[in-house]
Amino acid sequence: MNNLPLIIATAILLAAVVFWVFRLKDIYDTYRFVPEIDPDDDVSLPPDPPLISVIVPAHNEEKVIEGCLKSVLAQDYPRFELILVNDRSRDRTRSIAEALAAEHDNLKIVSSSELPPGWTGKCYALNMGVKHARGEWLAFLDADSQIHPQTLSQCYHRAVTTGVNMVTVTPGLVLTTFWDKALQPVFSGLACVIFPLPKVNDQRSKVASANGMFFIISRKAYETIGGHQDVKDLAVEDIGIGKRVKAAGLGLTFAIGRKVLRTRMYVGAVESMRGWTRILAAAMNYHLPSVLWYMATNLLISFPVIALSLIIYLPRAMEMWPYYWFVLPAVLVAQVSVGSLLFYPLVGARRSHSVLMAFGNLALLGVLGHIVKKILWNDALQWRGTTYETSRYEPKCLDPAPSRFTTVETLR
């Protein structure tokens, strides 16, 4: 009975080691099987490349919209148009865009003044943008993001040379504050656990996802899956689009985009936790057992639990196993160090930011607990200042119906 605390502490440490074994494998597979979009790579475009329509939805984005639009207008791709969808903005978003449109003939501005029932604001804005688009390929870019001048060329080249109809990328995160550095990489890490990128790119796997910050898709594929009409009520419409493209056998590539896409997702701890509450809840399809599983897993590897386990483990283990007591803690420390040092650069973060991982993990536990509360209370979804009474924290149509697509073809 006196050994029970040691047994429990040892079991917790062993479970943490097992967790990091799988996490390290995922990270290793990411480096091995997930391509990176590199602006320095040689790109050969056809003599008459297709028109690409870049659609940017914007709701009260006066602080970031100029940088976003300028990054698109600076593209080296020879044929593109830019469509800014002003989604019910009450600030200077439209006037800033109009000033740029006066200097660039390929920038068009459309406005959405009201939101039809059953639509989220972003989905409706993107759907409206597509209606005004003329391109054979469509690119969707969030207003708080900026792209490298070669992004369109590189992503289109990747699509046509690999025979896929959709290319989406991970961002390089813009991290300026303490909470940016502590929270964003950890939250992004859980997203990669839920949707491992190597499995997303494996056509034999059913795992699929996409990043709405930026993706490019052929118009034929977009129309085949029903466009945004089929995901109009989803809080993570990008994941829904990716799932439908892969389910239709149209070809999807999820690449590392830290060099071609820069995003500051949220400002401050409160905004970050609210935003990730929406993203992670919807990514898990509001499935309470899944949320509880990830919550328990992250609690297991949290700093307080590991520290308490070590406090209990070390004195007893040193006494019982004088020559081997250090093996388990050393393996765990090595795993955490290697895993964080390898993962952080993938999202554009400095390796030194990994020392803040413990704070991010505690914040993540808070977010997962908040998701549990919202599911149990059946709260309405709140997003970008809009409360969607018809959209609650309950299962949606994140996955397409098995019979949704009857044919499989590659569209080029």
Side-chain angles (χ1 to χ4, degrees):
M1 196 68 178
N2 291 335
N3 289 331
L4 183 59
L6 174 61
I7 294 172
I8 295 174
T10 304
I12 291 174
L13 295 175
L14 284 172
V17 167
V18 171
F19 168 86
W20 280 102
V21 166
F22 285 101
R23 189 72 190 102
L24 285 170
K25 182 182 183 303
D26 285 343
I27 296 172
Y28 170 76
D29 287 345
T30 298
Y31 274 96
R32 185 179 179 187
F33 298 116
V34 179
E36 180 167 8
I37 304 297
D38 189 338
D40 292 330
D41 289 344
D42 291 333
V43 171
S44 58
L45 298 176
D48 185 25
L51 178 68
I52 297 178
S53 298
V54 184
I55 301 168
V56 178
H59 175 72
N60 294 334
E61 301 285 6
E62 65 179 6
K63 295 181 180 179
V64 295
I65 193 61
E66 183 174 10
C68 173
L69 297 180
K70 284 184 175 180
S71 76
V72 178
L73 293 169
Q75 292 299 296
D76 67 353
Y77 187 83
R79 294 188 64 212
F80 71 91
E81 64 176 358
L82 172 57
I83 300 172
L84 182 280
V85 184
N86 180 38
D87 178 23
R88 299 165 294 149
S89 296
R90 296 183 298 274
D91 61 2
R92 296 175 54 247
T93 295
R94 183 180 179 92
S95 61
I96 293 171
E98 287 175 340
L100 288 173
E103 302 173 0
H104 298 274
D105 294 337
N106 59 341
L107 170 55
K108 180 190 304 183
I109 302 171
V110 298
S111 291
S112 169
S113 58
E114 59 182 27
L115 182 63
W119 287 82
T120 64
K122 182 179 179 181
C123 281
Y124 185 68
L126 293 175
N127 184 69
M128 176 177 288
V130 171
K131 290 181 178 180
H132 289 81
R134 299 179 293 112
E136 296 176 51
W137 285 75
L138 307 170
F140 300 96
L141 175 68
D142 279 357
D144 57 5
S145 302
Q146 296 184 21
I147 53 178
H148 186 278
Q150 291 190 359
T151 302
L152 290 183
S153 296
Q154 290 286 347
C155 290
Y156 171 75
H157 175 77
R158 169 71 60 173
V160 297
T161 56
T162 58
V164 300
N165 283 278
M166 180 176 178
V167 173
T168 185
V169 298
T170 63
L173 298 172
V174 177
L175 308 172
T176 57
T177 69
F178 171 87
W179 289 112
D180 288 342
K181 300 168 186 176
L183 272 56
Q184 298 300 339
V186 173
F187 291 163
S188 298
L190 179 55
C192 291
V193 170
I194 298 173
F195 299 109
L197 299 189
K199 291 186 178 180
V200 173
N201 290 340
D202 183 354
Q203 300 307 311
R204 298 167 299 178
S205 170
K206 294 183 179 180
V207 177
S209 184
N211 178 18
M213 298 173 193
F214 178 81
F215 66 86
I216 183 171
I217 183 172
S218 71
R219 181 183 283 271
K220 290 183 179 179
Y222 179 82
E223 293 174 350
T224 297
I225 65 169
H228 281 86
Q229 174 72 37
D230 201 45
V231 296
K232 63 183 181 180
D233 61 343
L234 296 185
V236 284
E237 84 297 332
D238 47 357
I239 297 176
I241 291 285
K243 282 178 172 287
R244 283 154 177 76
V245 167
K246 191 170 184 180
L250 297 170
L252 163 67
T253 293
F254 209 138
I256 303 299
R258 56 184 170 175
K259 296 180 181 179
V260 295
L261 173 67
R262 299 291 291 171
T263 299
R264 186 176 186 187
M265 294 182 64
Y266 303 108
V267 179
V270 174
E271 185 178 330
S272 293
M273 294 179 72
R274 285 176 179 170
W276 278 102
T277 294
R278 173 185 63 82
I279 293 172
L280 294 176
M284 290 181 273
N285 217 28
Y286 312 114
H287 186 235
L288 185 59
S290 296
V291 180
L292 293 175
W293 167 256
Y294 287 114
M295 188 175 181
T297 302
N298 282 275
L299 178 63
L300 178 72
I301 63 169
S302 66
F303 177 78
V305 171
I306 295 298
L308 179 60
S309 299
L310 287 172
I311 291 172
I312 296 172
Y313 170 87
L314 289 175
R316 292 172 172 81
M318 293 173 68
E319 180 181 346
M320 294 182 64
W321 310 308
Y323 300 107
Y324 309 108
W325 63 269
F326 65 90
V327 173
L328 185 55
V331 169
L332 183 56
V333 170
Q335 288 177 312
V336 175
S337 300
V338 172
S340 57
L341 291 178
L342 288 176
F343 176 75
Y344 272 61
L346 288 176
V347 294
R350 295 180 181 178
R351 288 186 170 91
S352 59
H353 296 164
S354 63
V355 300
L356 304 176
M357 184 169 54
F359 296 98
N361 178 254
L362 292 176
L364 178 57
L365 288 172
V367 165
L368 293 171
H370 194 46
I371 293 173
V372 171
K373 177 261 179 186
K374 285 182 170 294
I375 293 174
L376 293 177
W377 266 250
N378 196 22
D379 287 350
L381 173 67
Q382 294 182 324
W383 184 12
R384 291 283 187 176
T386 301
T387 298
Y388 298 95
E389 292 294 343
T390 57
S391 297
R392 298 188 173 272
Y393 282 75
E394 57 187 13
K396 299 290 182 182
C397 55
L398 186 58
D399 291 299
S403 60
R404 174 68 175 80
F405 307 106
T406 57
T407 60
V408 175
E409 61 177 324
T410 301
L411 304 175
R412 297 294 296 273

